């Protein structure tokens, strides 16, 4: 059985000039569909009704078609006929494809609007006219809804484009006498006439206008090829129109259409309204095809998003508003009666069926999803914050589009009233005179009670509109619906609404703050990505920010940055130093800059080859930034040292042997204002007491047997204006302590055997591996007054076993040092070897580690990697299976036994070393990884005769 399609077009009366062409185009489309096999294997049969350019006949004829069971309709031209048909459509479940441009403000769920809307015709056209034809407009239109609604938007657009309307006339439909209108135009002298005259009136106007000899251009959104054809072309030449389609379009689809049209009807003259009708039939057929049935609801479901490659270009049904995305073009009538296209949009434009205020025109190109995405966070905050509120709330965006309903029951309820998401509902009838509409207009809290609403449905409701805004931005309106007329107490509700407004304000603040912080984050990202350095921002151990370079290093598993990434730098003050990472064979500068609670960690890769490394290292004196380690406790010490270097106060460095006390002392000196003066170091434990006194204070000629002629200056004099490093101060005799205290107080010395006092200006940095406070408290072996003199700054260096995280970097540093010294390869350390190093306890601390690495560097000869085999047995074995130790422990009776065994082992080791180095204390201590002092002590302890 055929599928019957009702066609509603006037073939008589004033509108037939336009509608006859539409009818022919619709028939052509039906033929095309049938020629290609029909729909679901069925042919489409057109059933035409002439509606005689009369709205009442249109309604009658529509009803007669519906009574015949034809519920798929295409047609109608004037808005008057469409409106008269609406009650019929409401009564019957049918679909109308309306192929005509119209004024908008409508969205019947059963009508699919296929012609252009005012926004698609005017938003580009009016600015173009003001720029190219002139700024003063004379509006003339047929007296019905469409011209009147179009003119409203033309007023807004001319004004916002610096133009004005000098006259506005409405002519009764079908009128053909225009002499009075011509006179008005002659008087007003506009730059342009804008015509929305339709049918026979339009044709008559052009004719009379031509005869008047007026030279003002006419612009129209109605006059098309059909009207041009109805007169000799000379009457129309040079005037303008705007449509989605002109006959002169060069597309393949248009060429085919023109050919077929000529073959069927003997003419190629196709207008935009005709193309709309042609497209309407094709779109309907496509929807039928997808639904694969004739069920109106299923067909309707498939229309949103439907596309069609039309003669004007691709067109698309909007997802939400049943109108088409259409192209826009401006054409000028040529001598041959066609339009020359002088501007085109090049893409389909979104249909906006509901009028918006000019201030909201900026939002016109936003669709539902875009707006929803933009407002999601605000909606989320508002939903959370208003959950206490017992009445339904609706969120409208700044353009009046309904985005969300905070009460799910209400959703279904409003749906029945054509109250859909994505619609600009505040302007439509549903909300007319509601609190919401008032809030949009006045941007103030507004309300409407019961009968104030125009909509019958809201007569039992109170509606409040709360503008969502701050001083910079208007986000939209919260619509509140209260269905409690009988109990309405304005005072009570005003308080409630006021509370809601405060809540709304808080939500905007939250959003603004979040946006600000996102903005700042992005800004920081943009700026910091121009840096050469990687940047981490940390607070309380948490990483707050990392730039792209830092991200790259983290992804490349760069060990340095991974350490910096993990550590907490809260206690670190300003800090700067170099690190060498052997895996990447790269050198980095690390700088930590504190700012309030934040720590900015900058990591810069240094482009250096090993040769200039050597040069640099030789040239530069040791600074705090050169000291290796990123362990937070260690960095704490660096940071203290940095503070100490800024003044001349005495410093006491505490730490086990080999932890780097002298290194720190030198670096503090080199960073201080005394850096160009001498740094003198003396080990107080290495020299006997008498000798130490003359070493420190010097002696005069003849002071003792063997004293040099002319005497000799002591370390204090040598260090004058510089720094004196007193290592192992804890081992000094109480008499010497007393002398030192005096010197520190009086700032003068007397050489041994002399009388003359010599003023000195020396900064003292003392160091010890003893716990001085215990020495003072329990043994009385150290003077507390001297302790407090020395202890202005205390820097405590932790043993290496407590900063094993630094072992890798230290090992790399030493490998680089030896490679530089030998101008050899920079070696890397294998994971296995590193694990061994990390398991060892390092009684000799960094000195021991340096020795182990030095040994490994040379043992590994030409190999590029330090392997486990290159490590000393003592270290290698300490890492193999604790299991071994456990087995041994079984055979050992007591702790004393263990100690004894260890001592025997140690004695043996020292003895062998001394033999190997022929009693050379420096070389043996280096080899053993202990200081010369410690070695002296051990030799004494184990009674080794050398
Ligand atoms: N943080 C460090 N970075 C690089 N090398 C270091 C560091 N700390 C110590 N060293 C190296 O370790 C060795 C021992 O350092 P230093 O002599 O300063 O230790 P110390 O605590 O003064 O020892 P002792 O108390 O036995 O005199 C030196 O070779 C030094 O260069």
């Amino acid at each position: 059985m055929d599928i019957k399609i009702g066609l509603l077009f006037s073939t008589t009366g004033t509108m037939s000039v336009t509608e006859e062409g539409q009818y022919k185009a619709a028939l052509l489309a039906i033929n095309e569909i049938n020629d290609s096999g029909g729909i679901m294997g069925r042919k489409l049969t057109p059933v035409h009704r002439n509606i005689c350019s009369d709205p009442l006949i249109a309604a009658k004829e529509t009803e007669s078609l519906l009574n015949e069971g034809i519920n798929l309709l295409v047609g109608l031209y004037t808005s008057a006929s469409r409106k008269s048909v609406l009650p019929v459509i409401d009564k019957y479940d049918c679909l109308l494809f309306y192929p005509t441009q119209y004024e908008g403000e409508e969205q019947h769920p059963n009508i699919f609007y296929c012609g252009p809307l005012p926004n698609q015709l005017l938003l580009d056209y009016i600015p173009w006219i003001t720029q190219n034809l002139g700024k003063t407009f004379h509006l003339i239109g047929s007296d019905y809804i469409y011209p009147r609604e179009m003119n409203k938007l033309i007023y807004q657009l001319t004004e916002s484009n610096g133009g004005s309307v000098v006259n506005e006339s409405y002519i009764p439909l079908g009128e053909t006498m225009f002499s009075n209108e011509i006179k008005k135009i002659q008087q007003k002298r506009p730059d342009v006439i804008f015509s929305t005259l339709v049918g026979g009136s339009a044709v008559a106007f052009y004719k009379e206008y031509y005869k008047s000899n007026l030279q003002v251009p006419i612009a129209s959104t109605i006059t098309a090829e059909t009207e041009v054809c109805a007169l000799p072309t000379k009457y129309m030449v040079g005037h303008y129109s705007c449509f989605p389609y002109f006959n002169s379009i060069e597309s393949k689809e248009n060429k085919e259409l023109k050919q077929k049209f000529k073959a069927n009807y003997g003419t190629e003259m196709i207008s935009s309204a005709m193309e709309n009708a042609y497209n309407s039939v094709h779109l309907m057929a496509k929807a039928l095809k997808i639904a694969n049935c004739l069920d109106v609801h299923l067909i309707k479901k498939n229309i949103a998003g439907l596309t069609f490659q039309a003669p004007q270009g691709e067109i698309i049904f909007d997802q939400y508003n049943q109108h088409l995305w259409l192209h826009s073009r401006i054409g000028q009538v040529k001598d041959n009666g066609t339009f020359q296209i002088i501007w085109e949009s090049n893409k389909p434009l979104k249909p906006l069926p509901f009028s918006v205020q000019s201030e909201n025109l900026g939002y016109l190109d936003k669709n539902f999803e875009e707006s929803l995405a933009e407002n999601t966070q605000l909606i989320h905050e508002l939903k959370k914050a208003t959950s206490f509120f017992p009445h339904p709330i609706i969120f409208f965006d700044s353009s009046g589009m309904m985005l969300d309903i905070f009460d799910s029951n209400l959703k279904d309820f409003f749906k029945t009233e054509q109250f859909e998401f994505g619609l600009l509902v505040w302007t439509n009838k549903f909300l007319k005179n509601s609190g919401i509409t008032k809030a949009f207009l006045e941007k103030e809290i507004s309300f409407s009670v019961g009968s104030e609403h125009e909509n019958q449905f809201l007569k039992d409701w109170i509606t409040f509109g709360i503008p969502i805004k701050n001083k910079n931005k208007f986000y939209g309106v919260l619509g509140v619906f209260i269905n409690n007329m009988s109990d309405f107490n304005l005072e009570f509700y005003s308080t409630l609404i006021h509370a809601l407004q405060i809540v709304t304000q808080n939500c905007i603040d939250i959003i603004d703050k979040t946006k600000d912080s996102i903005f700042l984050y992005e800004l920081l990202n943009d700026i910091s990505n121009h840096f050469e350095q990687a940047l981490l921002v940390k607070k309380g151990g948490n990483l707050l920010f990392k730039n792209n370079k830092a991200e790259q290093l983290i992804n490349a598993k760069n060990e340095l940055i991974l350490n910096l990434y993990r550590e907490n730098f809260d206690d670190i003050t300003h800090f700067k130093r170099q690190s060498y990472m052997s895996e990447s064979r790269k050198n980095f500068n690390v700088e930590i800059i504190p700012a309030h609670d934040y720590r900015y960690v900058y990591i810069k890769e240094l482009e250096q080859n090993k040769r200039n490394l050597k040069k640099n290292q030789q040239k530069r004196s040791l600074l705090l930034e050169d000291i290796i380690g990123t362990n937070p406790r260690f960095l704490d010490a660096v940071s203290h040292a940095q503070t100490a270097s800024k003044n001349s106060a005495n410093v006491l460095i505490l730490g086990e042997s080999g932890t780097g006390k002298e290194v720190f002392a030198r670096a503090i000196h080199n960073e201080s204002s005394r850096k160009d003066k001498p740094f003198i170091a003396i080990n107080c434990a290495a020299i006997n007491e008498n000798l130490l006194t003359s070493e420190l204070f010097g002696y005069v000629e003849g002071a003792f047997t063997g004293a040099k002629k002319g005497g000799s200056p002591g370390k204090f004099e040598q260090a004058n204006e510089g720094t004196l490093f007193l290592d192992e101060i804890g081992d000094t005799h109480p008499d010497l302590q007393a002398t030192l205290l005096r010197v520190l107080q009086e700032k003068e010395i007397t050489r041994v055997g002399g009388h003359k006092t010599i003023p000195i200006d020396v900064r003292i940095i003392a160091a010890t591996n003893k716990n001085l406070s215990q020495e003072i408290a329990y043994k009385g072996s150290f003077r507390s007054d001297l302790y407090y003199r020395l202890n202005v700054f205390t820097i405590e260096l932790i043993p290496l076993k407590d900063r094993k995280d630094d072992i890798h970097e230290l090992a790399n540093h030493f490998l680089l040092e030896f490679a530089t010294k030998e101008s050899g390869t920079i070696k890397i350390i294998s994971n296995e070897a590193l694990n061994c190093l990390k398991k060892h306890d390092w009684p000799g601390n960094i000195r021991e580690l340096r020795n182990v690495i030095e040994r490994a560097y040379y043992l590994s000869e030409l190999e590029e990697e330090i392997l486990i085999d290159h490590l000393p047995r003592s270290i290698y074995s300490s890492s193999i299976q604790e299991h071994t130790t456990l087995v041994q422990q079984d055979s050992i009776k007591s702790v004393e036994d263990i100690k004894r065994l260890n001592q025997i082992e140690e004695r043996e080791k020292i003895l062998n070393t001394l033999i190997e180095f022929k009693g050379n204390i420096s070389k043996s201590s280096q080899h053993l990884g202990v200081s010369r002092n410690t070695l002296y002590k051990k030799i004494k302890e184990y009674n080794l005769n050398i």
Side-chain angles (χ1 to χ4, degrees):
M1 215 173 62
D2 291 358
I3 300 169
K4 291 202 170 84
I5 309 288
L7 300 179
L8 296 156
F9 294 108
S10 309
T11 44
T12 55
T14 184
M15 298 318 304
S16 60
V17 64
T18 310
E19 289 185 49
E20 209 159 6
Q22 289 188 301
Y23 172 44
K24 286 179 180 163
L27 281 180
L28 184 77
I30 290 176
N31 287 342
E32 278 180 0
I33 293 159
N34 288 338
D35 288 347
S36 61
I39 306 288
M40 298 175 281
R42 293 160 70 180
K43 284 210 167 242
L44 301 184
T45 306
V47 181
H48 175 236
R49 292 285 196 277
N50 176 9
I51 57 171
C52 306
S53 307
D54 186 334
L56 290 177
I57 300 175
K60 225 173 83 200
E61 289 297 349
T62 307
E63 189 148 24
S64 104
L65 283 173
L66 292 167
N67 280 328
E68 282 176 44
I70 301 171
N71 60 2
L72 298 170
L73 309 171
V74 179
L76 305 179
Y77 182 78
T78 59
S79 286
S81 59
R82 189 188 70 255
K83 294 232 182 255
S84 71
V85 168
L86 285 180
V88 186
I89 295 177
D90 277 339
K91 197 166 144 196
Y92 297 84
D93 212 6
C94 67
L95 287 185
L96 168 68
F97 282 74
Y98 178 56
T100 306
Q101 66 199 69
Y102 87 120
E103 67 285 354
E105 304 293 329
E106 193 182 276
Q107 192 170 309
H108 194 287
N110 287 35
I111 301 181
F112 292 93
Y113 303 80
C114 302
L117 281 164
N119 79 289
Q120 291 165 320
L121 294 179
L122 296 179
L123 285 187
D124 295 296
Y125 193 21
I126 300 296
W128 184 89
I129 295 173
T130 56
Q131 273 166 32
N132 295 285
L133 305 180
K135 293 197 186 293
T136 50
F137 283 59
H138 180 110
L139 307 183
I140 183 164
S142 295
D143 196 8
Y144 74 108
I145 308 158
Y146 178 71
R148 285 187 179 272
E149 288 301 322
M150 285 290 274
N151 285 349
K152 278 188 199 163
L153 188 52
I154 293 171
Y155 260 98
Q156 281 183 18
L157 289 168
T158 43
E159 214 176 305
S160 52
N161 284 283
S164 61
V165 175
V166 292
N167 185 68
E168 186 180 5
S169 302
Y170 292 102
I171 313 297
L173 269 172
E175 177 63 73
T176 52
M177 297 291 292
F178 285 98
S179 48
N180 278 347
E181 283 310 312
I182 302 289
K183 265 187 213 146
K184 268 194 219 162
I185 296 167
Q186 280 163 336
Q187 281 164 9
K188 299 275 178 188
R189 297 171 173 273
D191 293 328
V192 61
I193 298 161
F194 199 97
S195 163
T196 41
L197 291 167
V198 293
S201 299
V203 176
F205 174 69
Y206 279 92
K207 197 171 168 185
E208 203 157 337
Y209 179 80
Y210 176 76
K211 285 183 191 154
S212 74
N213 261 334
L214 269 163
Q215 295 299 313
V216 185
I218 305 173
S220 170
T221 54
I222 305 282
T223 306
E225 288 85 346
T226 30
E227 281 78 9
V228 176
C229 269
L231 286 174
T233 315
K234 64 178 181 187
Y235 292 115
M236 305 284 199
V237 171
H239 295 306
Y240 301 88
S241 278
C242 179
F243 287 112
Y245 169 90
F246 284 111
N247 189 279
S248 46
I249 290 172
E250 292 283 7
S251 73
K252 172 177 138 275
E253 289 76 9
N254 191 35
K255 281 181 187 151
E256 285 174 10
L257 174 65
K258 286 200 293 191
Q259 267 170 18
K260 286 184 193 158
F261 208 82
K262 188 156 191 180
N264 277 276
Y265 306 113
T267 171
E268 290 196 330
M269 267 311 150
I270 302 165
S271 69
S272 187
M274 288 159 73
E275 193 234 16
N276 292 159
Y278 174 82
N279 298 340
S280 303
V281 173
H282 274 290
L283 284 161
M284 175 194 269
K286 262 191 131 175
L288 283 177
K289 215 177 221 167
I290 299 169
N292 203 23
C293 67
L294 294 179
D295 181 277
V296 166
H297 293 279
L298 283 178
I299 301 168
K300 269 203 300 194
K301 259 189 156 180
N302 290 309
I303 288 176
L306 201 69
T307 60
F308 175 57
Q309 196 59 43
Q312 66 175 278
E314 189 181 48
I315 58 176
I316 311 140
F317 260 120
D318 188 76
Q319 290 282 350
Y320 305 101
N321 67 31
Q322 296 160 224
H323 292 69
L324 277 173
W325 289 61
L326 294 171
H327 294 251
S328 182
R329 293 179 169 92
I330 301 171
Q332 187 176 25
V333 183
K334 291 198 295 185
D335 291 334
N336 65 359
T338 62
F339 282 83
Q340 180 181 3
I341 297 166
I342 49 182
W343 175 89
E344 53 188 324
S345 64
N346 291 323
K347 60 172 191 218
L349 305 178
K350 181 181 168 63
L352 296 163
F354 298 100
S355 62
V356 283
Q357 295 203 322
S358 54
E359 70 192 54
N360 286 329
L361 287 177
Y363 294 93
L364 288 177
D365 57 353
K366 235 167 243 162
N367 65 26
F368 176 67
E369 270 128 11
E370 276 173 303
S371 183
L372 194 62
E374 199 172 279
N375 289 292
T376 302
Q377 218 198 333
L378 180 56
I379 291 175
H380 174 75
E381 292 299 334
L382 282 167
K383 261 190 187 168
K384 246 188 345 190
T386 58
S387 55
F388 73 94
F389 196 75
H391 301 281
I393 295 175
I394 298 184
F395 183 98
F396 299 91
D397 78 356
S398 56
S399 65
M401 191 191 288
M402 184 169 106
L403 292 189
D404 206 340
I405 301 181
F406 297 2
D407 179 301
S408 57
N409 295 329
L410 207 69
K411 268 180 201 166
D412 294 337
F413 169 71
F414 278 132
K415 257 202 178 118
T416 59
E417 296 293 322
Q418 301 154 35
F419 197 72
E420 279 288 356
F421 292 126
L423 300 189
L424 300 172
V425 285
W426 75 267
T427 47
N428 80 7
K429 269 201 162 171
F430 186 83
L431 288 178
K432 209 156 186 188
N433 295 343
S434 68
I436 291 115
T437 314
K438 288 179 192 168
F440 266 103
L441 294 169
E442 288 155 29
K443 308 280 188 296
E444 293 296 339
I445 290 188
S446 312
F447 72 97
S448 292
V449 183
S451 56
E452 279 183 63
H453 296 103
E454 195 168 301
N455 189 333
Q456 215 25 55
F457 167 77
L458 287 175
K459 298 277 185 223
D460 298 332
W461 293 72
I462 303 125
T463 53
F464 281 91
I466 303 168
I468 315 164
K469 59 171 188 176
N470 58 18
K471 60 178 187 310
N472 303 319
K473 191 169 170 186
F474 174 63
Y475 293 83
V477 165
L478 269 196
V480 180
F481 293 75
I482 297 167
N483 188 9
N484 196 7
M485 281 291 290
S486 52
D487 222 15
F488 181 61
N489 170 341
L490 181 60
E491 209 174 310
F492 170 73
Y493 280 109
S494 297
T495 316
L496 209 56
I497 295 297
H498 187 65
L500 213 52
Q501 190 199 21
I502 293 170
V503 162
T504 307
Q505 204 54 51
N506 289 342
C507 291
I508 301 176
D509 289 349
I510 293 172
I511 300 301
D512 283 355
K513 277 190 190 127
T514 319
K515 279 190 185 146
D516 278 354
S517 52
I518 292 172
F519 170 75
L520 286 175
Y521 189 95
E522 282 169 358
L523 193 71
L524 188 56
N525 205 21
D526 281 354
I527 295 171
S528 70
N529 283 333
H530 288 99
F531 295 173
E532 266 181 81
Q533 300 107 313
L535 170 64
L536 302 175
V537 182
K538 306 200 70 173
K539 184 184 180 185
N542 293 329
L543 182 75
L544 299 185
F545 172 81
K546 55 179 183 300
N547 70 355
N548 287 350
K549 290 217 171 67
E551 184 90 55
Q552 284 161 11
L553 290 176
I554 290 167
N555 289 343
K557 302 219 162 28
N558 178 293
E559 184 144 347
L560 171 72
I561 199 155
L562 288 177
N563 276 342
L564 295 168
Y565 179 69
R566 287 185 209 117
E567 296 301 355
N568 177 356
F569 298 115
D570 275 4
D571 299 328
I572 308 293
T573 52
H574 190 189
F575 154 90
K576 193 175 170 191
R577 53 173 199 79
Q578 257 191 48
S579 288
Y580 174 72
M581 286 290 113
S582 63
E583 339 81 290
S584 52
R585 293 166 190 268
K586 279 176 183 158
N587 230 340
F588 293 92
N589 244 349
V590 179
E591 184 166 12
I592 302 176
I593 299 175
H596 306 288
D597 293 346
Y598 302 97
R599 295 290 176 274
Y600 298 94
V601 185
Y602 290 95
I603 304 124
K604 185 179 175 191
E605 193 183 320
L606 299 173
E607 292 294 337
Q608 275 179 317
N609 64 36
K610 52 190 179 200
R611 277 179 227 299
N612 60 36
L613 255 176
K614 185 173 182 181
K615 252 197 278 160
N616 283 350
Q617 287 202 345
Q618 280 171 351
K619 246 192 344 215
R620 259 170 97 253
S621 41
L622 178 86
L623 295 177
L624 285 163
E625 66 182 64
D626 303 322
I627 298 178
I628 305 300
T630 48
N631 173 288
R633 276 178 69 197
F634 177 74
L635 288 183
D636 220 11
V638 177
S639 155
H640 269 78
Q642 236 139 16
T643 319
S645 69
K646 305 250 166 10
N647 56 56
S648 270
N650 295 333
V651 178
L652 181 62
I653 306 177
L654 306 175
E656 288 178 10
S657 176
T659 46
K661 297 189 290 294
E662 185 166 340
V663 168
F664 265 74
R666 278 186 190 278
I668 292 172
H669 169 80
N670 290 338
E671 300 246 350
S672 74
S673 56
R674 294 170 179 256
K675 62 175 182 283
D676 298 324
K677 302 292 174 188
F679 172 87
I680 304 290
I682 180 164
N683 188 323
C684 303
I687 313 169
N688 79 38
E689 196 206 328
N690 287 338
L691 249 180
L692 184 61
T693 314
S694 55
E695 276 285 299
L696 283 172
F697 306 114
Y699 55 85
V700 294
E701 191 174 328
F704 46 80
T705 342
K708 267 199 229 163
K709 215 168 166 233
S712 173
K715 300 288 183 197
F716 268 96
E717 275 180 77
Q718 289 169 24
N720 201 15
E721 293 183 29
T723 305
L724 178 61
F725 175 55
L726 300 174
D727 199 2
E728 308 285 8
I729 189 94
D731 290 316
T732 48
H733 191 274
D735 291 347
L736 183 62
Q737 289 176 27
T739 318
L740 276 173
L741 180 67
R742 209 174 46 246
V743 170
L744 294 183
Q745 279 168 342
E746 288 162 18
K747 300 194 183 326
E748 53 186 32
I749 52 125
T750 311
R751 286 188 183 184
V752 173
H755 301 289
K756 208 172 97 195
T757 53
I758 304 167
I760 42 115
D761 165 22
V762 168
R763 190 223 190 134
I764 303 290
I765 301 180
T768 180
N769 58 13
K770 288 194 167 154
N771 184 336
L772 281 191
S773 45
Q774 272 190 19
E775 298 281 326
I776 295 164
Y778 302 115
K779 298 189 190 162
S781 57
F782 202 84
R783 292 181 65 119
S784 61
D785 41 10
L786 177 60
Y787 175 72
Y788 291 115
R789 276 252 150 213
L790 296 171
N791 187 25
V792 183
F793 277 100
T794 306
I795 294 168
E796 200 174 343
L797 300 183
I798 52 171
L800 186 56
K801 69 173 186 305
D802 293 339
R803 45 181 287 224
K804 286 189 173 171
D805 42 347
D806 283 342
I807 287 181
H808 196 183
E809 203 192 337
L810 281 162
N812 285 336
H813 168 78
F814 294 131
L815 284 170
L816 177 71
E817 184 188 321
F818 301 125
T820 313
K821 194 167 123 197
E822 298 297 324
S823 293
T825 356
I826 303 174
K827 303 190 181 202
I828 59 168
I829 191 146
S830 74
N831 282 341
E832 266 186 323
L834 183 66
N835 283 341
C836 275
L837 295 182
K838 285 192 174 169
K839 279 185 184 149
H840 185 60
D841 257 359
W842 301 107
N845 291 300
I846 301 173
R847 181 181 291 109
E848 186 187 358
L849 176 66
R850 189 177 180 280
N851 292 340
V852 166
I853 297 296
E854 184 176 20
R855 179 177 183 274
Y857 182 85
Y858 291 108
L859 263 183
S860 57
E861 294 182 337
L862 294 177
E863 285 172 67
E864 290 220 331
E865 196 174 19
I866 303 295
L867 304 172
I868 209 158
D869 300 346
H870 303 131
L871 300 179
R873 256 192 83 80
S874 55
I875 289 184
Y876 173 42
S877 56
S878 71
S879 79
I880 39 172
Q881 297 299 319
E882 270 107 44
H883 164 83
T884 329
T885 331
L886 287 175
V887 174
Q888 282 174 357
Q889 271 180 2
D890 270 353
S891 58
I892 294 167
K893 302 282 181 291
S894 66
V895 175
E896 281 313 303
D897 280 343
I898 301 170
K899 271 192 181 167
R900 202 167 47 77
L901 272 177
N902 282 348
Q903 280 169 351
I904 292 169
E905 218 176 77
E906 189 176 64
R907 189 179 188 279
E908 198 93 321
K909 194 169 152 191
I910 293 172
L911 189 61
N912 286 340
T913 312
L914 286 168
I915 292 167
E916 186 184 338
F917 292 101
K918 301 190 174 76
N920 184 318
I921 298 292
S922 295
K923 285 185 180 164
S924 305
S925 64
Q926 255 189 24
H927 181 77
L928 289 164
V930 296
S931 70
R932 295 177 66 214
N933 253 349
T934 314
L935 184 57
Y936 275 123
K937 273 190 225 154
K938 294 281 174 192
I939 292 170
K940 221 159 130 193
E941 192 184 327
Y942 294 134
N943 214 4
L944 298 169
N945 269 329
I946 50 163

